[in-house]
Amino acid sequence: MMDWLQAHPMTVVGLVLWAVGVLWLMPGKQAGSTRPKIPGLLLTAAGLFAFCLSCGKPQTQLADEVMFWVFAVSALLCGVLMITARNPVYAALWFALATLATCGLFLLQSAPFLAAATIIVYAGAVIVTFLFVIMLAQQSGAAGYDQKSGQSVMATISAFILLGAVAMTLQQEKLEIGVPVVVAKAKETNAAVAPSPPNMSAMMQASGSGSPAGLPTAPADAPEEKPAVPGNLLSSADPDHAVGDLKGLGRSLFSDYLFAVELAGTLLLVASIGAIALAPRREQGAL
Amino acid sequence: MTPEDLRFLLVGAGLFILGAIGFLTRRNLILMVLSAELMMHGVSMTLVTFGRIHQTQEGQIFTIFTLTVAACEAGLALALVLSLYRKSHSLDIQLWSELREPDMPAPVQDAPARIDDGSGSYGDTPKLTPAGIVPKDPPRTKSSAGASSART
């Protein structure tokens, strides 16, 4: 842990600044104690900047870099403003902005369909419904319970300790995500049996060779050093389609996960019936 | 795992943490549900990043299913919030503190919200010169009666 503290001081500084900013912006225990927002915003922004700066220096293009910074900082800043907003309508709008920024990050990760679906579901449906309920329930303006927060210090400190632990785990040098045991076994069998069996290992190699151009990690000169990492063996990656390709996504969704898709549709039906059954009836009186 | 993947994972963890703080500190029912949705954004970001690390579609597919479940959850949560609001006429979570565990201390009761004091004192309303006969007391509205009974 001390090694990590010495190796990544920017992460710690960023986390501390960010936590102090969140605590500053949070409504206090007494209603009406309004601190000025500018120092909290500055602290939060500085903490976010240091936190994102400590994540390493990837070799990406300048446009990707700028897009990542804009989307990541706006997503986290909108999240902070959402959980500290006094007015629930503003909180819902900040949440919509955070959703949009998250969808931008999805786009950067070559998930365009997911970005579009998230915008449609969240910004289109969820936020509008939430705003309806807020306006229905709080017609008389700001309520007293929105001006206060319970146990904000404990919650913020423990949450940021958790975030620091996650960051420490992710920034371990020897952490190697993405090499499941199955691959090691397959490589052993592949090395043992000289004529490679055409079943599993061939499929894995095929899945590994279909890496898109968006990931500049695998060095071209040493393909053996970087093991090909397949995902689920029941649906290995299609070598013809890159990750996030809509055609491959739809094919996998409606062939490998067809039962789950049907199940999700059933779940939607059950949830809509349940929402209708739970909602207040008209004969039970108006709201 | 490249530094590029690392920073996406850290942003996902940050969104999750912010949602957790919001869920723990806010007292508005709707904002608690919204904070849970923010946590789900962080989880989605992590799933997509892991899918890209493994070079498979499974991260995105699982996120699509998560999106479906989140939509169901939002609908059901709003129906529940509406039925709770019909009973207590407030979105305050502390009005439902009797549902807590029996060994937990009671939350600190604060001054009633200024929406519905029900006592007839309306604060800053302009005063008119009294004229005509003295009217009877206006009947208490249903909302203020329900709120005061729910608080006591």
Side-chain angles (χ1 to χ4, degrees), chain A residues 49 52 58-75 101 104-105 108, chain B residues 4 7-8:
Chain A
F49 193 78
C52 289
Q59 297 87 21
T60 50
Q61 294 177 351
L62 181 64
D64 283 348
E65 194 78 1
V66 172
M67 300 277 266
F68 172 79
W69 277 89
V70 169
F71 287 137
V73 172
S74 61
L105 289 176
L108 286 185
Chain B
E4 194 183 357
R7 58 186 191 177
F8 278 109

Side-chain angles (χ1 to χ4, degrees), chain A residues 10-37:
Chain A
M10 285 298 272
T11 309
V12 184
V13 171
L15 283 179
V16 169
L17 282 180
W18 189 6
V20 172
V22 168
L23 272 180
W24 183 280
L25 286 174
M26 193 73 83
K29 271 205 165 46
Q30 290 88 23
S33 67
T34 54
R35 288 183 280 258
K37 285 190 177 179

